[in-house]
Amino acid sequence: MAEEFTIELSRDQALVLSDWLDKVIGTQRFDAVADEDVAVWSALHRISGTLETKLVEIFMPDYGERLEAARERLLDDLGDYFVQERQARRSKDD
């Protein structure tokens, strides 16, 4: 196996990413993009599996509230301009 590589995420980033990956992996749209380079699945499985085993929050009864609070903190960090621009682009693309 190749040399290991470390990526650091905040707990909020890890929680939101884990939830997002859980929702999109297996959907036709996401899988079609990932299948453009099948080797990327190796990294996706590793990241998803690591997040699932490290985040105890996903098993807590208040998971939804924790996830929403993490999302709000991350959106605050991104700033209103970035968030509004991305939402406007998404609306235009739909």
Side-chain angles (χ1 to χ4, degrees):
M1 181 177 239
E3 178 182 337
E4 293 289 317
F5 186 83
T6 302
I7 298 173
E8 293 186 14
L9 301 172
S10 71
R11 194 141 203 102
D12 285 347
Q13 291 169 330
L15 190 61
V16 170
L17 180 59
S18 175
D19 184 71
W20 182 80
L21 286 170
D22 185 58
K23 289 178 183 173
V24 299
I25 290 177
T27 64
Q28 183 177 9
R29 183 176 171 191
F30 182 85
D31 289 2
V33 172
D35 286 345
E36 290 176 13
D37 182 356
V38 176
V40 78
W41 283 106
S42 176
L44 288 169
H45 288 154
R46 182 82 175 266
I47 292 167
S48 181
T50 299
L51 291 170
E52 286 179 8
T53 60
K54 300 288 184 190
L55 290 169
V56 297
E57 292 89 341
I58 63 176
F59 302 108
M60 294 181 170
D62 62 345
Y63 170 71
E65 291 84 12
R66 288 174 182 266
L67 178 62
E68 191 56 37
R71 280 194 176 110
E72 290 299 321
R73 288 188 292 270
L74 293 175
L75 290 173
D76 286 345
D77 288 347
L78 287 170
D80 290 339
Y81 177 78
F82 181 83
V83 171
Q84 290 169 358
E85 186 175 285
R86 299 310 300 175
Q87 289 171 338
R89 176 181 264 186
R90 190 171 118 205
S91 294
K92 188 174 99 173
D93 291 344
D94 287 343

